[in-house]
Each structure stands twice: as structure tokens, then as C-alpha cells.
Amino acid sequence: MKSTRLFLLSVVAGCGLVAHGAAELVLAERGKPAASTIVVADGAPPSLKYAAEELQRYVKELTGVELRVAADAINCVPPAGGSQLAATATAAIRIELTDEFGTDGFRLTARPPDLLVRGGVRGCLYGVYELLETYGGVGWFASWRTVVPKLERFAVPANLDDEQRPAFKMRMTSWLDATRGDFAARLRLNGARAHLEEKHGGAVCRFGKRMGSCHTFSFLLSPKKYFAEHPEYFAMRDGKRELPEKAARWGYTQPCLTNPDVLRIVTSNVLEAIKADPTAGIYGVSQNDNQRYCQCPACAAVDEEEESHAGTVVRFVNAVAEEVEKHYPDAIIETLAYQYSRKPPKKTRLRHNVMPCLCSIECDFHKPLDVSPYKSNVEFVEDIRGWTRQTDMLYLWDYTTNFRNYLHAFPNIMALQGNLKFFRANNVKYMFEQGDSLGLHADFGELRAWLLAKWMWNPDAPMAPLLDRFFKGYYGAAAPYARQCFDDLYSLPRDSVTQRLGIFEPVTNTNIPTAFFERAEGYWQSAAEAVKDDPECAKNVEAASLSTMFTLLYRLPRPRTVWVTRHPEKFDGGRCRTYAKKLLAARKPLNLRFAENPDRDKAFREEMEEVAKFVMPTAPCDRVEVPSSRMRLAVPGVRGDRVKDSDTLDGSAIKLFNTHYEWSVRLDLASVAYDPDVKYKVRVRVRVEKDSAAKGEAFWAGVYDTPAKKGCGSISVKAEKCGDGYAWYDVCTWKPRDGQYFWLGPGRFKKGVGVSAIKSVWVDRLEIVRQGD
Ligand SMILES: [Zn+2]
């Protein structure tokens, strides 16, 4: 910020802005004539004018007093009955644009009868927000949740003198709600992920188009374009230059970074990209998102010398950056220190125009990174010290949600402040806290985004008052119950060595016991009762309760889909159905996302739809036929396929190939409603397509007990005993229990010969019959 002019913004107070008693400077007072005027100098940047609008808007909400906005103090229109104005006509809030505190810092100074807000282009706006938050009690807890108290008087201490500068130059998050421009600005977030406009003072820095902060090698050296003619441009893996199946689409390969042609092509593409977007400032030249670094002798020698795979990366990126500097001396080249390149190289140093982005992806997030004894954390502490010795532009990419299950509990909040203190102590300047960028309402997600913003500004802000403020503000009258849930979750014991809190922890991992979620359901029910007449808080409570329901849905026994019981009333499954229905119904209105990965998100949705729509029978039943469509087929397309067949129960069959003899068709007894301690008989309807030249097993089938690690009965059927069409085969009679499953596979053929006695085996249905009374 090279500002030489000072822009003035004044509030000329008709009734207020006078010292109230000895200790206060009053800005507005309820019931007094709306005589004050906010003044913004002509030519002030849009963010100062917006600061005035925000001040006007919230002062009115706080006190009912509408301040007027004018071009400068001289143009102030006296109110009707101007005698009151005459008494305080020289008083003003002066907001001055200055580079004294950087672009984001500010200083609030009371000089009765004046108040000064001095700051940078974003700092002036942040200074106004500080006034409204700290002295007005305004709280911005989500883009849809602002709390504005009703005040008799909006005042600041008469001796106010508060200078603030942020701990981090860039404060960025991808928590979806906190990327919405107005809300992001109120949280003092200034990263390019937020949709910040000119009125917010814009973003602090920007990555070039197609040159974002991660995984740009596949754009800069396209496998699709080059691999066929130049496989040597790409990583050697186990002695071969191989193009993995998905490489063209997902960048599942890496360049060979010691190949001079690769350097030439990448450099030329980087220069083109800068030319296309020269004002961006930062350009990512970074590894793709996989572990397939090049193992060719030249690359391996560099990495060995540097004692890290970052050796080849940094030497390569330095060479690109050296060439870039000749054409664009101010451009910064950013690269990842991620997974295999996280450890800094031993010898090579970063060029002054290279920015490293260090990523914490492997770590334990239950405790601060420098506190957890988990191995990856201990190494991370070493790595960050190594990088920070080389640069004053360290960019830190931190992970703050469960990316496999956004809604599942992710108890990392107690680590967030410690982490930001640790990053500050290690000279991190650019901070990115990755969150639920594709949906809202992850477990305590709004709280996490809010706390991260507060602590990215000031890691020393004490936790306890922040938590109190958020819970009261966001949940209203439900705050005590929401807090009970939070305190319960954060008092669960966890051993950081054996129970790492990883960002892909599956919902079925019982490190957080199911009993907690059962209790949580109770807290949220009480919470819902407390805010049933407050739609805004009721929505916040509903969203939080869905997070608990999501986990319970994947922890509780599913509704049984096969019924062969005389006591259907014992197989309710109703909770799962209720949760599935609620989650599906809320998905669009609340913008829920179940997983970051689109395929996984879709799979969750489809499972919920299946559970939600299932209609449970009520009549007792002693016999059931189960079509093949209800059975699982392992490795479809490899071990077998589902095929149309009109000679079956539901028009389809599972056709098993003759290339293996694995147990590939399966029905879990946990999906069957049966009566315990009663014997059942199972038989299977199968068609064997024989190979006329061979003799041997056609198929084998049985029931296996996983916990007991033993079979409950099985058959092996010889090909020569089978007819041409479908036939029924008795499998066994046994007492079912959960943990068992029915299985079937093509017949075993002699090892090493590789051809079985059959061409294929077709499975139509099972029949399960209750035995005895
Ligand atoms: Zn190589």
C-alpha cells in the first residue's frame, strides 16, 4: 500500500459523540434525534465508503438511530431544530487511510470529542467491525446468523487506543460459508478463496489463472499430449515409464524433473500462463496429487544427495523461477512441500522468488501439531523449521475437517489455536485452513470457521470467551445443550499415538464411541425444544443434529432387507430409516454434503435412499426367496457380471466367469431378519454352463461364520452331475447369526492348469426356509 493521501471519513454527531460522563464517548443514543452524519471524502476507496455504510447500517440496528452519509464534513446538513447539532458540530469519527499499519491493520483512537479509525484499505473496514463487535456487541456467526443487540447507547471508552495488526499476512479458508464475500470480510478473511469485492478491499493475493496453488504439473506437462511420443518426460516407476490408467484425466503421474526437455516445456508454459494473467502475482508450479515421484537414476541420484524427494522438486522449480524472473521480476513461483516432498532438501536453497507451500495432510489433528507425539507430527515440526530457515514467504496448508465424512465428528477444535501459535512462531505468513468447501454444516463447522478466522487474526485471543460468545450467539437459547454436546465430545479420551485423528477417518471407526452419539442425540433434542419458537436457531440446531444422525445411521444395525421370521416386530430398523429420510430431505435445503469425493458422496446418498424407501413387512414368514440382485458380487466385470435372464426370479442373474474360484457371490446374514436359535435351511438355484471337454467342480457354496472363523456347512457340485438348465441345490441347514454370510464361487480347478470344468455359473436365487415350529 503506497498511500500518500489521507482520506477522511467523519461522523458528525448531532446528539452523540460527546463524552458521556468521564469514561465514554457516545456514538449514538436511542430515542435521540437522528442527527449524526457519516462523512466519506470524495475519492476515498470503495472499501472506506462501504465501511461507512456498514457503520450506518449496524448503528441503526443497534440503537434505532440512522446516521446520514455525506461527501465531507462541510456538506453536513444540520438536522431540523439544529440547536443540538450546534453543541457538538465539530465532533467527528475520522477514518483515515494510511499504510502505517499495513493493508489490514488499524488503530482506533478516541480523542474526545473525536474518534479516529486509521488503517489500510481493508484495515479501515476491519476497524469499523472491531468497533461494532467489541463496543456494540454485534456478532457475525454465520452468513445467515448475525446477532445485533438493542442498545440504549453505543459508546466507546473515552481513552480508547487500540492498534491491531493480523498475525498472518494471508488468512484464507475454504469453509464454504466463510468464502461468502460479506461474511468473509466481517471475519477479516482476506484470501482469494473468499469472494471478496472491491468494496471489501479485495483479496491480499491471487494465483494466476490455471496456475492455482496446487497440482499444476499435469497442466504444465500434459500426459495426454506428450506421453505417447515421449514417455521419458514422465516418472519412471519400478524401472518403467508407465502411464497409469487415470493419468490423462487426473494427473496420476509426475514429470521426470531431471529431463531438460521437461524443464524447457514447463518453463515455456509457465511464461505463457503469466503472460495471460500478468497481474496475478503468484503462480503455482507444483506436483500432482499422487505419490508417483520419478525413480529414474538421474532423479534418484538428486533425491539421494538431498535426502528428500523435494531435492528434484526444488532444483526444478528454482530453474523455472530463475527464467521467469528475467521476464517478470515480481512474479512469485509457488510450489508444494507435500507428502513425498514435505521434507526440505539438504543442500539446495529456495530462490528468493519461490514460495513453498507446506502441507500437514498426514498429521494427527487431535492435538496441536507440535504437541502430538504422533510420528508424522514430530517430523512435521522438523520440516517446518527446515523450510522457514529458507524463506520469509512460507505458505501453510492446514486441514481442518474430515474429508471422507464432512458430517462425522472431527474433534480438532482444541488443536486449532495451538497450531496457529505454532505456525506464527515458525514465521508462516500465508495461512490456508482447508474446510468443507463443497457443503455446509459439517460437525461444528460454523464454530470452526469462526474460531479459525479469529485466531488467524490473533492466535492469542483466549479460547474460553470465544467459545461462550459463539455458542450463545449461534445457538441462542439452545446454547447450554449445544455446549453440553461439545464438552462431552471434547472430554472423550484419545491417545494421539494409537488413535490418530486423521482427515479421512471412516465414520465406522469407533475411536469416538457410539455411546457418545446416542448422548448427543439427546442433547440436540433438548436443544431443539429450547429454540422451537426461534426459526434461525432451530435451523442451526437441526443442522447440528443431522451431523449426529449421519454417524448413527452408519453405526446402528441397518434395516433388514430379507425377512424370514415369525417375529417381525423385533426387527424395527426404524431409527436408520428416520435418519436416512431426514438427511435426504435436508440435503438440498441445508446444502449438506456427505463427502468431499463426488463418488463417495453419491454412494452415501444411494445407500440412504435404499434405507429410506424400504418398507418393512409385518406378517410372520417361514420361507423367503432372495433374488441375485440382493446379493453382492465381488469385483464386477472381473469375477463375473450381472446379466439379464428371463428364467430367473427377477429377470437377472449373476454370471460368474471361469477365470477364478473365489467366493464372489455373498449375502450377509446381518441383512436377514431371522429368529435366533432356530434352524434354517438354505438352497440355491444355479445354472451351470459346462465345458464339454473338462470334468471337475462346477461350483461351491456354503455359509461361513466370520467371528468363529469356520464354516457352518457347504457343498461342492461336480460339473458332470449338472444338467443344462437351472436346478436347485441344497446347501446346508444351520442356526443363523449376524456375522455369518452365504457365499458361492465357481468350482475349484487344478492349480496351474488355469482352465476350469465350466464356462460359467449362473446364480438366480436363494431359498431360506425356517425349520421346525
Ligand atoms: Zn526422472
Side-chain angles (χ1 to χ4, degrees):
M1 171 52 57
K2 290 168 190 156
S3 166
T4 49
R5 284 185 64 191
L6 295 182
F7 294 104
L8 301 187
L9 176 148
S10 312
V11 174
V12 177
C15 57
L17 210 65
V18 292
H20 183 91
E24 283 185 331
L25 190 59
V26 177
L27 308 184
E29 195 156 4
R30 186 172 292 278
K32 296 288 172 69
S36 306
T37 305
I38 302 174
V39 182
V40 190
D42 281 334
S47 61
L48 262 77
K49 294 182 175 176
Y50 181 63
E53 286 168 28
E54 289 282 85
L55 188 61
Q56 181 194 40
R57 172 184 170 177
Y58 284 105
V59 168
K60 183 169 186 198
E61 287 195 43
L62 284 166
T63 62
V65 175
E66 180 155 359
L67 307 178
R68 276 175 290 178
V69 179
D72 59 52
I74 298 159
N75 295 334
C76 234
V77 181
S83 58
Q84 280 182 317
L85 181 68
T88 55
T90 55
I93 295 178
R94 296 151 51 88
I95 298 188
E96 301 178 355
L97 183 66
T98 168
D99 56 6
E100 218 176 302
F101 314 108
T103 48
D104 291 12
F106 59 82
R107 184 169 176 182
L108 306 175
T109 317
R111 281 193 199 140
D114 288 356
L115 176 65
L116 306 184
V117 179
R118 303 176 67 232
V121 70
R122 285 180 297 272
C124 283
L125 183 57
Y126 299 159
V128 163
Y129 290 141
E130 176 70 21
L131 281 177
L132 291 166
E133 269 194 298
T134 301
Y135 306 103
V138 177
W140 293 283
F141 302 107
S143 63
W144 62 88
R145 179 66 181 166
T146 299
V147 175
V148 185
K150 298 290 176 218
L151 299 182
E152 282 308 306
R153 197 169 61 246
F154 177 36
V156 297
N159 62 350
L160 173 64
D161 189 9
D162 181 16
E163 182 185 325
Q164 296 190 26
R165 292 173 201 239
F168 300 96
K169 181 175 178 177
M170 182 182 82
R171 303 171 304 283
M172 182 162 76
T173 182
S174 63
W175 284 92
L176 183 60
D177 192 40
T179 64
R180 293 167 172 169
D182 288 354
F183 183 50
R186 288 166 186 156
L187 293 182
R188 306 179 200 176
L189 296 168
N190 67 355
R193 291 260 181 158
H195 301 284
L196 296 169
E197 300 165 33
E198 211 182 0
K199 68 172 184 177
H200 305 118
V204 64
C205 58
R206 188 167 69 80
F207 282 86
K209 286 192 186 80
R210 302 198 71 177
M211 298 289 281
S213 65
C214 61
H215 316 314
T216 59
F217 273 160
S218 58
F219 161 62
L220 295 167
L221 186 83
S222 162
K224 213 171 177 177
K225 184 171 172 188
Y226 290 109
F227 188 85
E229 276 191 41
H230 294 285
E232 76 279 9
Y233 289 179
F234 295 90
M236 177 180 279
R237 302 293 300 175
D238 302 321
K240 272 198 311 200
R241 310 275 179 177
E242 56 173 5
L243 183 69
E245 209 176 308
K246 291 182 179 171
R249 203 171 131 218
W250 291 108
Y252 268 65
T253 183
Q254 302 287 353
C256 174
L257 296 175
T258 51
N259 183 311
D261 287 339
V262 169
L263 177 62
R264 181 179 50 78
I265 294 166
V266 168
T267 304
S268 150
N269 286 336
V270 170
L271 289 169
E272 280 299 304
I274 299 176
K275 193 175 166 190
D277 188 8
T279 60
I282 307 179
Y283 305 87
V285 179
S286 57
Q287 71 203 55
N288 298 323
D289 197 2
N290 65 73
Q291 303 269 12
R292 306 179 74 84
Y293 55 84
C294 187
Q295 298 169 327
C296 80
C299 287
V302 172
D303 289 348
E304 197 180 317
E305 192 185 338
E306 298 279 12
E307 294 178 15
S308 167
H309 298 298
T312 41
V313 174
V314 171
R315 288 191 192 184
F316 181 86
V317 173
N318 273 350
V320 173
E322 188 176 355
E323 192 58 28
V324 164
E325 194 182 13
K326 292 175 189 165
H327 307 270
Y328 302 97
D330 296 329
I332 291 167
I333 299 300
E334 178 261 11
T335 196
L336 291 177
Y338 173 65
Q339 295 183 328
Y340 63 75
S341 64
R342 204 185 75 178
K343 183 182 170 191
K346 193 181 176 192
K347 293 185 171 170
T348 303
R349 291 292 166 262
L350 294 163
R351 284 194 98 246
H352 66 93
N353 59 340
V354 175
M355 167 194 276
C357 174
L358 177 62
C359 308
S360 62
I361 192 163
E362 309 84 357
C363 291
D364 166 44
F365 294 98
H366 185 244
K367 289 190 174 150
L369 291 162
D370 58 334
V371 173
S372 167
Y374 185 69
K375 186 167 173 281
S376 277
N377 293 45
V378 173
E379 290 164 356
F380 185 90
V381 172
E382 279 305 301
D383 294 346
I384 196 172
R385 287 177 183 151
W387 288 109
T388 205
R389 277 196 288 271
Q390 298 201 27
T391 181
D392 58 2
M393 295 194 293
L394 185 56
Y395 170 19
L396 202 298
W397 185 311
D398 193 25
Y399 300 78
T400 62
T401 192
N402 181 329
F403 293 89
R404 184 188 292 268
N405 316 277
Y406 275 169
L407 299 188
H408 182 44
F410 189 69
N412 69 336
I413 289 177
M414 294 302 159
L416 299 178
Q417 184 174 21
N419 280 344
L420 285 162
K421 284 184 179 178
F422 168 67
F423 297 146
R424 177 183 58 181
N426 282 282
N427 203 27
V428 171
K429 292 291 192 321
Y430 297 80
M431 200 55 234
F432 175 46
E433 300 282 13
Q434 191 180 6
D436 67 347
S437 54
L438 299 174
L440 296 174
H441 309 300
D443 156 74
F444 287 114
E446 293 77 18
L447 171 62
R448 268 184 274 172
W450 189 81
L451 286 173
L452 285 166
K454 295 289 173 200
W455 286 327
M456 278 195 274
W457 181 267
N458 175 17
D460 298 320
M463 185 187 302
L466 286 176
L467 287 176
D468 286 348
R469 200 164 135 219
F470 185 88
F471 275 92
K472 279 184 196 132
Y474 185 76
Y475 294 106
Y481 307 104
R483 188 57 192 267
Q484 221 176 342
C485 184
F486 178 87
D487 289 344
D488 191 339
L489 176 61
Y490 283 86
S491 61
L492 296 172
R494 190 163 188 137
D495 174 352
S496 293
V497 174
T498 59
Q499 295 180 305
R500 174 178 80 115
L501 178 62
I503 60 167
F504 296 109
E505 188 163 288
V507 66
T508 46
N509 181 330
T510 51
N511 282 343
I512 305 171
T514 304
F516 161 74
F517 296 97
E518 295 280 11
R519 294 195 296 277
E521 188 169 49
Y523 304 138
W524 293 121
Q525 279 165 0
S526 305
E529 185 60 27
V531 291
K532 62 176 191 284
D533 300 321
D534 177 346
E536 219 170 70
C537 290
K539 176 191 154 182
N540 295 345
V541 167
E542 186 203 352
S545 72
L546 288 165
S547 174
T548 299
M549 288 180 199
F550 175 83
T551 300
L552 283 173
L553 174 60
Y554 287 91
R555 295 277 184 93
L556 296 176
R558 295 302 180 78
R560 313 247 162 174
T561 51
V562 175
W563 291 66
V564 53
T565 171
R566 290 186 184 173
H567 303 283
E569 74 284 356
K570 290 186 179 168
F571 295 90
D572 181 6
R575 284 176 73 191
C576 282
R577 278 188 306 154
T578 304
Y579 298 155
K581 282 179 186 170
K582 284 190 175 174
L583 284 157
L584 288 169
R587 193 176 71 83
K588 280 191 180 159
L590 292 182
N591 196 2
L592 301 181
R593 173 95 178 186
F594 304 124
E596 170 118 327
N597 177 297
D599 294 336
R600 197 171 280 147
D601 186 65
K602 185 163 170 263
F604 277 130
R605 259 183 1 245
E606 286 173 352
E607 277 181 85
M608 284 178 204
E609 279 159 8
E610 196 172 299
V611 171
K613 77 182 177 199
F614 184 70
V615 180
M616 289 189 290
T618 51
C621 167
D622 276 2
R623 176 182 171 278
V624 68
E625 289 192 352
V626 186
S628 63
S629 56
R630 282 273 170 79
M631 303 176 212
R632 280 201 282 163
L633 167 62
V635 208
V638 175
R639 294 196 192 164
D641 263 329
R642 294 187 190 273
V643 291
K644 283 185 180 169
D645 185 351
S646 59
D647 192 16
T648 62
L649 184 61
D650 66 355
S652 76
I654 293 175
K655 178 185 178 183
L656 292 175
F657 305 149
N658 68 353
T659 50
H660 65 97
Y661 48 83
E662 304 293 337
W663 299 358
S664 302
V665 175
R666 177 167 164 157
L667 178 76
D668 285 325
L669 270 299
S671 69
V672 179
Y674 56 85
D675 297 331
D677 297 320
V678 175
K679 280 194 172 176
Y680 283 77
K681 181 176 173 183
V682 62
R683 55 181 195 145
V684 61
R685 188 168 180 264
V686 170
R687 181 165 80 82
V688 175
E689 191 188 0
K690 287 189 281 186
D691 183 332
S692 54
K695 288 183 175 184
E697 273 181 25
F699 69 93
W700 54 329
V703 172
Y704 187 76
D705 190 313
T706 306
K709 293 182 184 165
K710 63 173 188 180
C712 307
S714 64
I715 49 163
S716 302
V717 176
K718 297 274 186 199
E720 49 270 40
K721 296 261 171 85
C722 297
D724 289 333
Y726 277 102
W728 283 101
Y729 298 89
D730 290 350
V731 178
C732 65
T733 301
W734 88 116
K735 282 186 184 170
R737 64 169 185 151
D738 288 5
Q740 296 174 344
Y741 61 92
F742 169 84
W743 57 267
L744 187 145
R748 287 160 288 186
F749 46 89
K750 204 173 165 190
K751 212 172 180 181
V753 175
V755 177
S756 93
I758 50 146
K759 287 180 180 162
S760 61
V761 177
W762 298 53
V763 181
D764 161 24
R765 74 188 92 166
L766 289 181
E767 181 200 55
I768 306 173
V769 184
R770 192 184 191 278
Q771 308 290 294
D773 297 326

